[in-house]
Each structure stands twice: as C-alpha cells, then as structure tokens.
Amino acid sequence: MTALSALIAALYAGLTAALAPLSFGPVQFRVAEALTLLPFFIPEAVPGLFVGCLLSNMLGGFGLVDIILGSAATLLAAWLTARARNIWLAALPPVLVNALVVGGYVAILSDTPIALSMLYIGASQALICCGMGIPLALGIRRSGIIDRFMEAKRPRG
C-alpha cells in the first residue's frame, strides 16, 4: 500500500510542479486535483493525495498557511471522497472543501474578496473534478487495473 500511496503522491506533486503557473495563486487551475477522485475506488489514495499536496504546497503557493491548511483540506476531502456513495457525490468533497478552506485563506493572503476567491477555487475544482477527475477515475476502474492490484495484494496461501 505504501508504494501505491507514494506513486499517487509523486503524480500529484509532479503534475502540480510541471504546471506551476496554473497550480498556484488566487486563481488556480491545479490539474493534479483530477486525482482527488481516486479515493472513491482506491482508499490508499488518501495518504498519497495528502503527501502530494503537502509537497506541492512546499514548492510554491502561499507558504506555511498553504502547506498546513491546503494539505489538511486535501486530506479531509480525500477522506470524505473515499466514503461517498457514488462517483458523482465523490466529486463534491474536493470541490466544497477546497472552495471553503483554500478559497478562504487565499482571499485573506491575496487581498481578494472572499466570495470571489471561493468562487474561483470552487469553479476550478468543479471543472477539474467533474471534467477530468470523474472520467479519469472511471477509466481507471474500467481498465481493470484496480481489480488486478487488489488481487495481487491478497495474501497467497
């Protein structure tokens, strides 16, 4: 499980760093957030997303506040996503938690009106989670990779 979490963390951090101009700031489009739907199918994605976000926020963003609050928001959203009843409801936690938490502190740190900041963050999260995350998660599920992984991790004997 540690390897899978590490892989997801590396993917998240790598995507965020590679697309850094889009990933940080008062208006952000963090493509790596498409991975936030993975906990719905893969519970091991929860710590991977947390660590990936933590590493990403250490590279750029809004400093210690972003490192702590942004990473905690990702952890909470991933935990809630893992408990959702269907993929459509699984997209709500990353959108709502990030809009409220990240949008709230980004407004304060960037001197942006709070409603606009929450709207910017929430809208970008919704576009990424629904437009990229759901298709990605469903594609991974349909590919059978998850089933093969789960079968491989079962103890033999």
Side-chain angles (χ1 to χ4, degrees), residues 44-97:
E44 296 82 6
V46 173
L49 290 169
F50 169 70
V51 171
C53 184
L54 181 74
L55 293 170
S56 297
N57 290 342
M58 291 171 132
L59 297 173
F62 291 98
L64 192 57
V65 171
D66 202 20
I67 293 167
I68 295 168
L69 294 180
S71 303
T74 294
L75 180 61
L76 175 61
W79 183 79
L80 291 169
T81 296
R83 282 145 186 79
R85 285 195 248 173
N86 64 57
I87 192 71
W88 301 102
L89 292 175
L92 290 177
V95 173
L96 297 175
V97 171

Side-chain angles (χ1 to χ4, degrees), residues 22-30 62 102 106 120-121 124 128:
L22 296 173
S23 300
F24 301 102
V27 178
Q28 52 185 263
F29 194 80
R30 193 175 282 197
F62 291 98
V102 177
V106 165
Y120 295 153
I121 301 296
S124 75
I128 292 165

